[in-house]
Amino acid sequence: QQQVKQSPQSLIVQKGGISIINCAYENTAFDYFPWYQQFPGKGPALLIAIRPDVSEKKEGRFTISFNKSAKQFSLHIMDSQPGDSATYFCAASNNGGSQGNLIFGKGTKLSVKP
Amino acid sequence: GAVVSQHPSRVICKSGTSVKIECRSLDFQATTMFWYRQFPKKSLMLMATSNEGSKATYEQGVEKDKFLINHASLTLSTLTVTSAHPEDSSFYICSVSGGAGNQPQHFGDGTRLSIL
């Protein structure tokens, strides 16, 4: 059973455009929803994270939108740049993601065309 | 700066060899470390949770005798792939957790293991 479903699998966006990646989860006990950015040959780097007590969190060009009732959350990358080209993973966990296990989505490969 | 140091970054060895991968927490004492495996163009799959001073907790389907984990100090965990075979070739990534409150996991840069 896939606990975190991520879409799309790949995404091509023009420079300056908005990249949107969506995730849905099943377990209502999840209380921590991070997004990770991974470049080839590197480990994932935490990009931004949200907890279910807020519906939106923004950090620079990156915004997470969270819909608790629908059990969905999404990452929006505004003014997308070629340097944003990477694989993005959503994840979920209970217990804040520190002691708890992170359950990852399958990833979205983002390509930003100049 | 880097929070987690993982070594080696890449290793190529013959089938039957045992390979040790180190994961070091640079910024804080990590009571818990996690070991993940990632196949090409796939997501990260948790293999085991490493707890300092106690036995690791392995996920279902992960052979504990195949993947030996030692977390002897608050800054170092090691994963040893014993008698490695080509099917063990993968990208292995560790992460550390400070454990104090809801601290996020920080990932190492991974180890690319290739078994010939």
Side-chain angles (χ1 to χ4, degrees), chain B residues 3-25:
Chain B
V3 177
V4 181
S5 173
Q6 190 171 338
H7 177 80
S9 59
R10 185 180 181 94
V11 58
I12 302 172
C13 58
K14 294 180 179 180
S15 183
T17 305
S18 292
V19 179
K20 180 185 285 187
I21 303 169
E22 293 185 348
C23 181
R24 293 183 183 275
S25 176

Side-chain angles (χ1 to χ4, degrees), chain B residues 36-61:
Chain B
Y36 294 83
R37 183 173 181 174
Q38 185 178 31
F39 290 102
K41 300 182 180 180
K42 298 293 185 182
S43 188
L44 287 80
M45 298 298 296
L46 180 67
M47 298 175 64
T49 301
S50 170
N51 300 294
E52 188 269 337
S54 64
K55 292 183 178 180
T57 303
Y58 290 82
E59 294 301 302
Q60 188 175 10

Side-chain angles (χ1 to χ4, degrees), chain A residues 36 38 43 51 97-99 104-105, chain B residues 32 38 43 99 102-103 105 108:
Chain A
Y36 284 85
Q38 186 179 30
R51 298 189 189 280
S98 56
Q99 299 298 339
F104 284 87
Chain B
T32 303
Q38 185 178 31
S43 188
N102 291 330
Q103 296 300 315
Q105 291 184 31

Side-chain angles (χ1 to χ4, degrees), chain A:
Chain A
Q1 180 186 4
Q2 188 180 349
Q3 295 193 54
V4 178
K5 296 182 179 179
Q6 184 172 346
S7 63
Q9 187 174 5
S10 62
L11 180 63
I12 300 175
V13 173
Q14 289 295 125
K15 178 182 177 181
I18 302 174
S19 303
I20 301 174
I21 305 171
N22 301 298
C23 281
Y25 63 97
E26 296 291 327
N27 190 345
T28 55
F30 288 149
D31 62 0
Y32 178 71
F33 304 90
W35 284 92
Y36 284 85
Q37 179 188 57
Q38 186 179 30
F39 293 103
K42 296 292 185 181
L46 179 64
L47 199 59
I48 187 172
I50 198 169
R51 298 189 189 280
D53 53 342
V54 296
S55 60
E56 184 175 284
K57 184 175 182 179
K58 183 176 181 179
E59 290 184 2
R61 295 186 294 111
F62 302 94
T63 300
I64 298 180
S65 296
F66 184 82
N67 187 327
K68 188 175 182 178
S69 60
K71 292 186 288 185
Q72 294 176 346
F73 58 110
S74 60
L75 175 69
H76 296 232
I77 305 175
M78 312 299 288
D79 187 26
S80 300
Q81 299 297 312
D84 297 330
S85 297
T87 299
Y88 293 80
F89 292 95
C90 64
S93 80
N94 53 13
N95 208 11
S98 56
Q99 299 298 339
N101 299 337
L102 282 171
I103 309 297
F104 284 87
K106 289 191 173 182
T108 296
K109 185 174 182 180
L110 171 65
S111 298
V112 181
K113 300 299 184 184

Side-chain angles (χ1 to χ4, degrees), chain B residues 35-90:
Chain B
W35 286 96
Y36 294 83
R37 183 173 181 174
Q38 185 178 31
F39 290 102
K41 300 182 180 180
K42 298 293 185 182
S43 188
L44 287 80
M45 298 298 296
L46 180 67
M47 298 175 64
T49 301
S50 170
N51 300 294
E52 188 269 337
S54 64
K55 292 183 178 180
T57 303
Y58 290 82
E59 294 301 302
Q60 188 175 10
V62 178
E63 301 177 56
K64 62 179 181 181
D65 294 330
K66 174 75 172 178
F67 299 100
L68 300 178
I69 292 174
N70 186 295
H71 193 157
S73 77
L74 287 170
T75 59
L76 174 65
S77 176
T78 60
L79 168 68
T80 301
V81 184
T82 62
S83 187
H85 289 93
E87 59 267 28
D88 298 323
S89 298
S90 190

